[in-house]
Amino acid sequence: MKLSLDRARTVLSVVQIALGVLGVALAQGTSAIAIGVAVVAATLALVRQPPQRDEDQQRRANRLWTLLVFVALAASVARALLFRNILEAGVDFVLVLIVQRLFNRELAREHMQLLLLGAVLMVIGAVINAELSYPFILIAYLPIATLALVLNVLMGEAERLGDRVAFELRRDGPRHLPGLARSTLYVALAAGLSGIFVFAAFPRVGVGYFLRGNLKGETVSGFSDSVSLGGFGRIKEDATVVMRIFPTDLPGEIEAQRPKRLTWHIRGSAFDRYRNGQWGHSSEAEPNDIGAYGQGIYINRPRRIPLGEYEMGLDQVRPTTGGFAADDEMVRGKIVLEEIGTDLLFAPSQPLAVRLRPRGAMERQNKVATQGGVDLQMRLANKQPGPVQYDFTSRTGQPTLAELRDFEAAMGRAARRQDWLGPYLRVENMGDEFRELARELEVDNPGQVDRIEAVLEHLEGYGYTTDLQTSPRVEAGADPVEGFLFDIREGHCEYFASSMAMLLREMNVPTRVVNGYYGAHYNEVGEFYAVRQADAHSWVEVWIDGPGWVTFDPTPPAGRTAGDGAALFPKLAQWADALRNAYLGYVIDFDLADQTNLFRSLGLNKSRRAFEVNWRGVVGWIVGLIALALAVRWLLRRWREGPLHPATVELRRVLRALAKLGVEPAPAATPRDVVEVLRPDRPELAHAVEAFVAAYEPARFGPAPPRASLDDVRDRANHAISVAKRSS
Amino acid sequence: MSTAAAAPAPTKRPRRKLSRRLLRGPGGRSLEITKAGWWFIALTLADGFAAINSGANLLHVIFGIQLGMIIGSGVLSENMLRRVRARRRYVGPLYARTTGALRVEIENVSDSPALSISVEDEDADRPLAGRGQVDPVFRVSLEPKRQVDDYAQIVMPRRGRHRLPIAVVATRFPFGLFVKRRRLDDEREVIVFPHVEPQALPARRASVEGSEHESGGGMSRAGEIYGLRPYRPGDGMSRINWRATARRQMPIVTEFEARGEQEFWLDLPVGEAGEATFEAAIEQLASTAVAHLHSGEASVGLRDGQTIVVDVERGPEHEHRILTELALWGLAAEGPQEPAS
């Protein structure tokens, strides 16, 4: 059954709308509920039979729809003003308009409005969707919307020019549909090239009232000011890349090996207060000392840690002493942090300095907060939506247990009595069984380091799982840590870290819990390390007099890397992520500097006063583009002509061989005419060509030839060509 | 029998859309931005503003695509118009307020298909009273190097000498953002005959309603030669006796004896063109003349008082002559009878 133009137009209109909605929805531009309601309403509009209404009924129906639109508009305005939710309110209003138009789609005018609404959604998507999904949606949208426009023009002509034209369109339209689709594809191709040209050549003079990427990213649990135990367990299957690390200065052995899996603890948030399964910040938490040094450089100076003198500049940040062997083990690099709904900056182990590397007007508004920070957390003040790019310098070296014992011996017990450590020793609402366990572990372990070892050893007997259960004790009001330690005896990193932290506190060892990511995966395609949602991790920092806060990770090694299998197709995920990274780098973050470089590479250079043209470069590009255009044209022609019959291919080969002999048959000459031309002077060749023609004609013009016949045609063609070569 | 229709008073034509008035080119070309086109341009400008303002790269891409679609729309529609040659030819006589036919020839002179082409009146959306309207003709696709003939209906409202409505070949291809038109250069005048109603004639009548007179004898024809006389306006060319004309150096016609058929003289009415009664009388005369001539048993002539305007005669050519005279009777001698556009 042929698709009528009207039906094709409706289908294409709906598909282009669906693509527009998808582009917006993937950037969280609207809620799932709104989309669900719109889909149900749109489906109803599409499947229902248009009611037969007289003029009055139609007028009343139109009034009702108009009223609905006004109510929706008023609700959207109120929502935008009251809840500051401009984007969602706007998108939802567009969805209402779409549904309204779908219910009242009769004339070309209504379909044109649907197409314009689809275009509006695509524009909104272009603003808020910085994901790799958008270009694919755009590539699908362009030919579909273009064909819908073309069909709508034809249907509009039928409405305008009367019943006779409408009848002719119904009769002839389907026959022309493939040709129209082909023409449309060319137009869409040209429009797409125009888009690329404007993208590359249009000067970037943005002043930044609009946004670069997602208006709001998906918030990852664990990085807000207050987190409940259990959040990380739910994201261990999520392979979404949240961070890309481009190391520039790795420790020697890592640099040499380029391991596929880094084992850094990438620090994000840290907490001092724990109560009833919830970590948070107390007002007494250790304040940060972050200094801004210009050029976007911020130095994080941990208090009370003898790291020595800092020098200006990111590359020069180097603690002079740490008092342990690995104190100079540093790592530097660049991080691209995706929008994950937090203003935290992440960096491996002990972040010492960061330098923001903004890629646009919006990112330039980001500043590192120098006031109000606690527990070595680095946060952005005035965080703008979208990804953040920054350089980092971190110390990854950690003291060994033996070195820690030396520190302990050297410092004695005095430091632990300092007042500021109070919050890191606080234990609340724990039961007797917990206190009993702590006492058991500290017996025979008078030193801090001994107690740390005892707790680590104790927790080795616990299992790792992300499938959390709640024990009756916890249901009765006990702390989840007690449920983990005494009932369930298995859990994920947050339970291990919280248990260790609280047990040590009970033993008078200051601790805090740190949330972040464990390590990163090397992407061979993009040559960077990717950190996924599934790598989210929780560990413990213990205060040791001397070196200060030292990282300990009580989670079993299998648990730390439990998210490594999150990507179903790891190789494919690598390619997808590398592609996305390239897309962000070359498309989303394409700026004036990139543009200048592009023009320079094309041979166009703007000096102070003059515009210099490197003609060799320009001509090279022009020749290349012309060659590309010719190739595309040739391909399109081939496509339009369709595949040649195999027998025709053989005939062309024979004719080419004859042309080399100077035999050029007239345009209308049949193969048999060619034989007659050859017969007087080249009887042997004429005989060979005649034999070929005898096989060619039935194969080409008879019923579908069997494989053997085509083989015979090819053999005879080869024979004729060889005879032609001999006779030359 | 119809009552004579009063010719509608010429009305002032509404103004063309601003864009169409401004965007005119040589050779009767014009470009009109449609409503959807204005919306699309507004969306493009808004997108361009947002792109420039924000520096958002994807907005630049969308902006470029929209610009490409606008430019591509103009180029493609121009291409389509260039590919097509079209003519409108009228087939047979045109009678006032009666549907006539025009043959519309559309030819694709290029090597590529011509898509979404219409041949229509230039001002189909705002017809001018008196000029009539021609049905549009539309082709979804016209194969390369191919001509198709189509037929369009035309209704002219008044008798007289008129120009056909100005025809254009037009396209909204590909997106309906613009309408591009090119005037066809086959504009010419046509004579629109008075409206004719079929009439039932009495078998034999002595006279009809005072304006129609039956006569016999002296002015007969088609029998034996009766004699020669000088040519009078209205005499048929076939009656000119060329030998006698050459001899006497003045146009001479031959008169014939009666052969038994009826002859009818129709008296032209007195009045002013456009008056209802005058136009009704003209139409009545035209209907009567056509009925008699089609009966095949009568000859018909026209006279204005004692002045013979068209001598009695019969046959299709004579019918044409009678109707032409009636079409122009009472109207200005030169130029089309229509209000200035």
Side-chain angles (χ1 to χ4, degrees):
Chain A
M1 190 181 76
K2 282 186 176 173
L3 192 64
S4 76
L5 293 192
D6 191 20
R7 186 171 287 272
R9 172 181 65 166
T10 303
V11 169
L12 293 169
S13 292
V14 171
V15 171
Q16 62 93 27
I17 286 280
L19 287 169
V21 172
L22 187 66
V24 172
L26 287 176
Q28 288 88 48
T30 184
S31 67
I33 295 173
I35 293 173
V37 170
V39 167
V40 170
T43 309
L44 194 64
L46 291 172
V47 298
R48 72 164 195 155
Q49 291 293 325
Q52 299 294 321
R53 294 188 179 124
D54 62 28
E55 209 167 298
D56 280 344
Q57 288 170 326
Q58 188 59 47
R59 202 175 298 125
R60 277 199 296 276
N62 289 345
R63 277 197 203 126
L64 273 176
W65 277 113
T66 308
L67 184 66
L68 172 73
V69 169
F70 272 108
V71 169
L73 178 62
S76 301
V77 171
R79 199 170 147 200
L81 292 177
L82 293 176
F83 302 104
R84 302 274 171 201
N85 204 349
I86 300 172
L87 177 74
E88 266 191 38
V91 172
D92 291 351
F93 180 63
V94 172
L95 291 178
V96 171
L97 289 180
I98 287 168
V99 169
Q100 190 259 348
R101 289 292 82 179
L102 280 173
F103 268 102
N104 297 282
R105 57 176 208 292
E106 285 178 26
L107 304 176
R109 188 185 57 194
E110 282 93 34
H111 282 271
M112 180 58 92
Q113 287 162 357
L114 278 173
L115 289 162
L116 283 172
L117 288 170
V120 168
L121 285 174
M122 288 305 291
V123 171
I124 295 174
V127 175
I128 66 174
N129 191 343
E131 293 299 318
L132 189 56
S133 56
Y134 188 82
F136 288 105
I137 290 171
L138 186 60
I139 287 168
Y141 169 85
L142 201 52
I144 287 172
T146 312
L147 183 56
L149 263 172
V150 170
L151 296 184
N152 196 49
V153 167
L154 294 178
M155 300 308 292
E157 293 289 61
E159 288 165 16
R160 191 175 65 85
L161 300 176
D163 291 342
R164 181 177 148 188
V165 172
F167 168 76
E168 286 171 4
L169 264 178
R170 275 197 301 276
R171 186 190 60 194
D172 299 337
R175 186 161 53 86
H176 295 299
L177 199 52
L180 286 169
R182 203 162 43 227
S183 303
T184 301
L185 207 57
Y186 298 155
V187 177
L189 189 66
L193 289 174
S194 164
I196 292 170
F197 174 76
V198 170
F199 162 76
F202 204 89
R204 297 297 192 275
V205 289
V207 294
Y209 288 122
F210 290 84
L211 305 175
R212 170 183 170 276
N214 296 6
L215 281 176
K216 52 179 187 179
E218 196 159 340
T219 302
V220 175
S221 55
F223 303 118
S224 53
D225 282 339
S226 175
V227 298
S228 298
L229 294 193
F232 280 0
R234 290 193 292 273
I235 58 176
K236 278 294 181 186
E237 302 295 323
D238 190 343
T240 307
V241 173
V242 293
M243 200 184 309
R244 292 173 186 77
I245 303 176
F246 301 83
T248 54
D249 188 4
L250 285 169
E253 60 193 63
I254 299 181
E255 180 68 56
Q257 294 170 0
R258 280 275 165 179
K260 289 194 172 181
R261 180 72 159 94
L262 288 177
T263 54
W264 298 333
H265 286 87
I266 301 166
R267 198 173 192 284
S269 55
F271 304 97
D272 66 312
R273 190 187 63 204
Y274 179 78
R275 187 185 296 158
N276 297 331
Q278 199 163 44
W279 284 98
H281 299 289
S282 73
S283 56
E284 305 153 85
E286 181 192 18
N288 286 346
D289 180 9
I290 295 176
Y293 287 87
Q295 298 180 334
I297 297 171
Y298 297 85
I299 305 289
N300 198 358
R301 297 172 294 201
R303 289 186 171 187
R304 307 176 186 87
I305 300 175
L307 287 177
E309 294 296 318
Y310 289 102
E311 294 176 43
M312 295 286 286
L314 187 72
D315 294 338
Q316 287 74 43
V317 173
R318 189 171 292 277
T320 51
T321 61
F324 51 93
D327 63 358
D328 61 346
E329 189 178 298
M330 310 286 288
V331 58
R332 292 190 179 84
K334 181 180 78 177
I335 286 179
V336 178
L337 177 64
E338 294 293 331
E339 176 62 82
I340 56 173
T342 178
D343 53 4
L344 286 166
L345 292 180
F346 293 76
S349 297
Q350 192 176 53
L352 299 178
V354 295
R355 174 168 56 194
L356 298 181
R357 291 180 60 177
R359 293 165 295 181
M362 294 305 289
E363 268 191 65
R364 271 191 286 278
Q365 296 181 45
N366 289 330
K367 302 283 181 242
V368 173
T370 54
Q371 302 292 323
V374 294
D375 289 324
L376 267 182
Q377 292 182 144
M378 297 194 86
R379 288 183 182 276
L380 287 174
N382 192 28
K383 162 82 168 66
Q384 299 301 307
V388 183
Q389 180 176 270
Y390 54 95
D391 293 329
F392 68 93
T393 295
S394 288
R395 184 163 73 177
T396 50
Q398 290 280 317
T400 62
L401 285 174
E403 286 171 326
L404 289 176
R405 283 203 174 85
D406 293 343
F407 276 116
E408 194 178 12
M411 299 295 290
R413 297 171 67 87
R416 270 177 279 151
R417 293 190 211 104
Q418 293 177 41
D419 289 342
W420 70 270
L421 282 171
Y424 302 97
L425 290 166
R426 199 165 292 145
V427 179
E428 297 179 56
N429 300 333
M430 289 295 181
D432 293 340
E433 202 172 347
F434 174 82
R435 297 183 190 286
E436 184 60 33
L437 173 62
R439 272 195 294 278
E440 279 177 25
L441 292 174
E442 75 181 332
V443 173
D444 302 329
N445 292 309
Q448 268 187 314
V449 181
D450 297 333
R451 289 173 184 179
I452 293 167
E453 275 194 294
V455 173
L456 286 172
E457 198 174 316
H458 177 77
L459 290 175
E460 279 175 10
Y462 288 75
Y464 182 88
T465 181
T466 54
D467 186 16
L468 299 177
Q469 297 171 38
T470 306
S471 70
R473 183 200 307 255
V474 176
E475 284 175 354
D479 194 278
V481 165
E482 292 180 284
F484 168 73
L485 284 173
F486 307 117
D487 303 327
I488 309 299
R489 297 183 66 83
E490 60 178 14
H492 57 71
C493 55
E494 287 178 303
Y495 288 88
F496 281 93
S498 300
S499 299
M500 179 177 180
M502 299 317 293
L503 283 170
L504 286 173
R505 286 184 180 192
E506 186 64 26
M507 292 183 260
N508 206 29
V509 179
T511 59
R512 62 188 178 193
V513 158
V514 181
N515 284 353
Y517 295 92
Y518 180 73
H521 310 262
Y522 188 61
N523 187 317
E524 293 165 6
V525 184
E527 296 184 344
F528 57 83
Y529 284 95
V531 180
R532 303 180 186 284
Q533 290 271 48
D535 298 323
H537 191 50
S538 192
W539 60 94
V540 180
E541 285 180 352
V542 182
W543 177 262
I544 308 285
D545 294 335
W549 293 105
V550 179
T551 298
F552 289 94
D553 195 342
T555 306
R560 294 176 209 166
T561 56
D564 282 11
L568 284 178
F569 304 100
K571 201 69 188 172
L572 196 65
Q574 270 196 13
W575 273 98
D577 194 45
L579 194 61
R580 185 171 180 278
N581 185 59
Y583 174 67
L584 287 174
Y586 294 114
V587 179
I588 298 296
D589 296 321
F590 185 79
D591 60 12
L592 197 58
D594 297 325
Q595 209 167 26
T596 310
N597 290 337
L598 175 69
F599 282 114
R600 203 167 287 153
S601 67
L602 290 174
L604 305 169
N605 195 12
K606 175 93 167 59
S607 64
R608 280 186 184 173
R609 290 189 177 177
F611 197 71
E612 295 166 1
V613 179
N614 174 4
W615 286 109
R616 190 178 293 175
V618 171
V619 169
W621 278 103
I622 290 173
V623 168
L625 285 175
I626 290 173
L628 182 67
L630 289 175
V632 169
R633 189 174 169 210
W634 181 78
L635 282 172
L636 290 174
R637 281 202 170 174
R638 288 273 305 210
W639 179 45
R640 195 192 293 174
E641 286 172 359
L644 287 174
H645 192 284
T648 308
V649 174
E650 299 305 325
L651 174 65
R652 289 193 177 186
R653 284 179 60 222
V654 172
L655 291 177
R656 276 200 298 274
L658 295 180
K660 287 178 185 171
L661 293 178
V663 180
E664 297 277 3
T670 64
R672 289 194 179 277
D673 294 339
V674 177
V675 174
E676 295 310 317
V677 169
L678 292 170
R679 204 181 296 282
D681 300 328
R682 296 184 167 95
E684 189 193 1
L685 180 57
H687 183 69
V689 174
E690 191 172 25
F692 163 74
V693 172
Y696 161 78
E697 285 179 340
R700 174 67 184 86
F701 301 109
R707 181 84 200 163
S709 300
L710 292 175
D711 290 343
D712 184 36
V713 172
R714 190 177 304 113
D715 292 343
R716 294 185 188 207
N718 289 336
H719 176 64
I721 291 167
S722 63
V723 173
K725 282 180 181 170
R726 277 206 307 275
S727 62
S728 66
Chain B
M1 186 174 292
S2 74
T3 56
T11 55
K12 193 176 177 186
R13 204 197 308 256
R15 284 165 75 83
R16 282 181 177 144
K17 287 181 180 171
L18 178 67
S19 67
R20 195 168 154 194
R21 276 186 281 135
L22 293 177
L23 303 172
R24 298 187 68 81
R29 288 167 184 277
S30 70
L31 176 73
E32 179 188 337
I33 303 173
T34 63
K35 199 172 179 183
W38 282 116
W39 276 107
F40 192 83
I41 290 170
L43 186 63
T44 305
L45 290 176
D47 186 27
F49 171 76
I52 292 166
N53 180 45
S54 66
N57 290 319
L58 288 178
L59 278 183
H60 281 82
V61 176
I62 298 280
F63 179 52
I65 288 172
Q66 288 172 324
L67 282 180
M69 288 177 86
I70 290 173
I71 295 167
S73 190
V75 171
L76 274 174
S77 55
E78 178 64 26
N79 237 335
M80 293 304 151
L81 287 194
R82 282 176 189 271
R83 288 175 190 179
V84 169
R85 301 276 177 275
R87 282 172 293 276
R88 292 207 296 203
R89 300 180 187 282
Y90 72 99
V91 182
L94 298 177
Y95 295 87
R97 305 198 319 281
T98 305
T99 302
L102 286 179
R103 189 170 71 239
V104 182
E105 300 163 1
I106 313 175
E107 183 187 4
N108 180 359
V109 294
S110 76
D111 294 327
S112 304
L115 300 169
S116 186
I117 291 291
S118 64
V119 176
E120 57 189 87
D121 291 350
E122 186 179 39
D123 294 302
D125 52 342
R126 37 180 224 116
L128 182 66
R131 262 212 172 174
Q133 276 181 282
V134 183
D135 278 353
V137 167
F138 182 77
R139 285 278 152 181
V140 180
S141 175
L142 191 58
E143 297 301 314
K145 303 286 183 198
R146 192 166 161 212
Q147 176 178 324
V148 292
D149 291 351
D150 217 327
Y151 288 88
Q153 295 181 337
I154 180 172
V155 179
M156 300 296 285
R158 296 200 311 265
R159 70 185 175 93
R161 182 183 285 117
H162 296 286
R163 286 198 186 101
L164 284 176
I166 297 171
V168 292
V169 53
T171 185
R172 293 173 184 238
F173 189 80
F175 305 129
L177 307 179
F178 309 105
V179 188
K180 207 155 213 179
R181 298 180 176 90
R182 192 189 72 229
R183 265 191 196 183
L184 302 186
D185 49 10
D186 61 350
E187 184 184 4
R188 57 182 157 173
E189 287 177 7
V190 291
I191 291 180
V192 179
F193 296 157
H195 181 73
V196 169
E197 288 284 343
Q199 287 194 340
L201 295 173
R204 284 269 183 178
R205 293 181 306 174
S207 65
V208 181
E209 294 168 9
S211 62
E212 178 186 1
H213 300 283
E214 185 180 8
S215 64
M219 305 302 285
S220 59
R221 70 224 56 252
E224 295 297 319
I225 292 175
Y226 173 77
L228 300 174
R229 64 166 174 78
Y231 173 86
R232 290 196 296 257
D235 288 336
M237 290 293 284
S238 61
R239 292 180 63 185
I240 292 178
N241 187 319
W242 295 104
R243 189 171 295 174
T245 299
R247 199 164 49 241
R248 297 193 195 178
Q249 296 292 303
M250 60 184 292
I252 299 294
V253 297
T254 309
E255 290 189 299
F256 298 91
E257 287 184 347
R259 60 178 183 190
E261 65 188 24
Q262 285 183 301
E263 291 183 351
F264 289 97
W265 283 102
L266 305 178
D267 289 329
L268 289 163
V270 178
E272 199 169 315
E275 282 179 359
T277 50
F278 179 77
E279 294 296 333
I282 292 282
E283 289 185 1
Q284 175 64 47
L285 281 185
S287 302
T288 305
V290 168
H292 282 310
L293 290 169
H294 284 191
S295 72
E297 295 175 352
S299 304
V300 176
L302 293 178
R303 64 188 179 194
D304 178 20
Q306 292 305 309
T307 310
I308 293 175
V309 178
V310 180
D311 199 1
V312 285
E313 187 59 274
R314 48 190 283 183
E317 279 185 26
H318 186 64
E319 180 183 333
H320 191 274
R321 200 155 46 237
I322 291 271
L323 289 173
T324 302
E325 196 61 46
L326 288 172
L328 302 176
W329 187 250
L331 298 170
E334 297 295 329
Q337 285 76 41
E338 61 182 80
S341 56

